[in-house]
Amino acid sequence: MTGKGTAKHIPRKRFGQNFLVDDGIIDSIINAIAPQRGDNLVEIGPGLGALTAPLLTRLDRLQVIEIDRDLIAVLRERYATASVTIHEGDVLQFDFAALGSKLRVAGNLPYNISTPLLFRFAEFAGHIRDVHVMLQREVVERMVAAPGDSEFSRLSVMLQYRFDMEMLFDVPPGSFDPAPKVESAVVRLTPFSTLPHPAHDEAVFSSVVARAFSQRRKTLRNTLKGVITDADFTRLDINPGARAQELSVADFVRIADAVAAPV
Ligand code: SAM
């Protein structure tokens, strides 16, 4: 037996299948989500239902997105009820807007797609109320890192632009079957209702951040050559000799705004 279900499912590495088997951790995740009956909640990667079953006891309805056909067959059999909607397919292609507004997102995520998935959450932030997910601890550390921290990265800036984030608790490898090689952590993302530092042009902001972090050891003068001049850096009071990881989200927005609307 694998995971919380009774199906003899052989975990698939390519789908990042590490099933939760620790009831204490499952309880902590459910309590962190604090589901309320009328919530519009979608679970990513229900797998064998470790989180699905306790979520369902607290919700009127639940939507799930799963890619593994074998698991979908198990889920369809187990949850042949009007209160569960099963979406079959790749969450990276999923249109979260189709699920309506104030969407609550939860899941023990497949770690191999965590970065593109987090960017996808950012894309749909306007439809989302909050996100509670388990990820590789190292990724969560990057998400919540502060400027100057060695983990501060493009992911930190792009997510901190849109979300208030809180690392909730750590989860050891032994809480899963099979046990992953890495430590895990649960994180909450709440989209800002009003962005603290809105960029005039978010595409420009995104490309400035990507460029600045493309060569982490190089100075901004080098990575942003041809994008912004030394005179602009002086006007913005940003040191061109600094590296990307020393700048705040607000600094990146100021650079992007200068690029989008040069004086
Ligand atoms: N929720 C279960 C648990 O906690 O035991 C399973 C979590 S397991 C880490 C990740 C789940 O995501 C698996 O069920 C896997 O099949 C599913 N999955 C992997 N890649 C996916 C994708 N691209 N789209 C949707 N589901 C995916």
Side-chain angles (χ1 to χ4, degrees):
M1 187 184 106
T2 298
K4 299 290 287 176
T6 48
K8 289 186 202 80
H9 177 78
I10 298 171
R12 295 197 164 95
K13 223 176 171 173
R14 73 174 187 284
F15 290 147
Q17 291 177 354
N18 299 95
F19 299 103
L20 267 171
V21 290
D22 180 330
D23 288 332
I25 293 293
I26 292 168
D27 275 356
S28 302
I29 295 173
I30 303 296
N31 288 336
I33 299 170
Q36 303 292 313
R37 296 231 77 88
D39 286 350
N40 179 17
L41 196 144
V42 61
E43 186 193 356
I44 297 172
L48 292 164
L51 297 173
T52 321
L55 279 172
L56 264 176
T57 65
R58 304 234 210 149
L59 292 165
D60 293 331
R61 66 198 171 104
L62 173 65
Q63 316 220 34
V64 301
I65 308 168
E66 176 57 63
I67 199 169
D68 186 323
R69 286 195 188 149
D70 293 346
L71 291 177
I72 286 164
V74 175
L75 293 164
R76 284 205 197 289
E77 204 181 301
R78 194 179 304 165
Y79 300 115
T81 141
S83 54
V84 182
T85 308
I86 301 172
H87 301 276
E88 180 174 349
D90 182 355
V91 65
L92 292 178
Q93 309 296 326
F94 194 79
D95 178 13
F96 287 96
L99 299 186
S101 61
K102 297 198 180 128
L103 187 61
R104 307 198 70 192
V105 180
N108 168 18
L109 298 185
Y111 295 172
N112 50 343
I113 58 164
S114 47
T115 303
L117 193 46
L118 289 166
F119 277 99
R120 193 117 182 116
F121 294 158
E123 217 178 291
F124 287 100
H127 295 269
I128 292 175
R129 184 178 125 193
D130 57 23
V131 178
H132 291 82
V133 282
M134 171 109 67
L135 287 163
Q136 188 173 338
R137 190 191 148 97
E138 207 183 293
V139 173
V140 178
E141 281 169 350
R142 280 203 282 133
M143 292 164 70
V144 303
D149 291 350
S150 57
E151 298 89 357
F152 195 67
S153 62
R154 175 176 170 236
L155 186 72
S156 330
V157 177
M158 296 310 293
L159 292 180
Q160 290 174 23
Y161 176 80
R162 234 169 251 296
F163 297 101
D164 182 29
M165 291 186 288
E166 197 184 341
M167 184 166 177
L168 298 177
F169 50 88
D170 293 343
V171 181
S175 299
F176 304 84
D177 181 17
K181 289 199 177 71
V182 294
E183 296 286 327
S184 303
V186 175
V187 64
R188 175 186 294 134
L189 297 86
T190 312
F192 292 118
S193 47
T194 307
L195 293 179
H197 308 289
H200 285 315
D201 184 328
E202 290 182 347
V204 172
F205 169 71
S206 169
S207 97
V208 163
V209 175
R211 248 182 116 127
F213 280 102
S214 61
Q215 291 163 292
R216 293 176 65 84
R217 297 221 184 100
K218 292 207 169 169
T219 63
L220 296 169
R221 181 182 284 120
N222 271 309
T223 52
L224 298 182
K225 194 178 243 154
V227 176
I228 182 166
T229 63
D230 264 12
D232 286 326
F233 276 123
T234 309
R235 189 169 56 78
L236 297 174
D237 197 22
I238 292 173
N239 174 11
R243 289 174 178 77
Q245 74 192 67
E246 296 167 60
L247 262 54
S248 66
V249 173
D251 291 334
F252 278 111
V253 169
R254 288 193 301 129
I255 295 176
D257 285 354
V259 173
V263 281

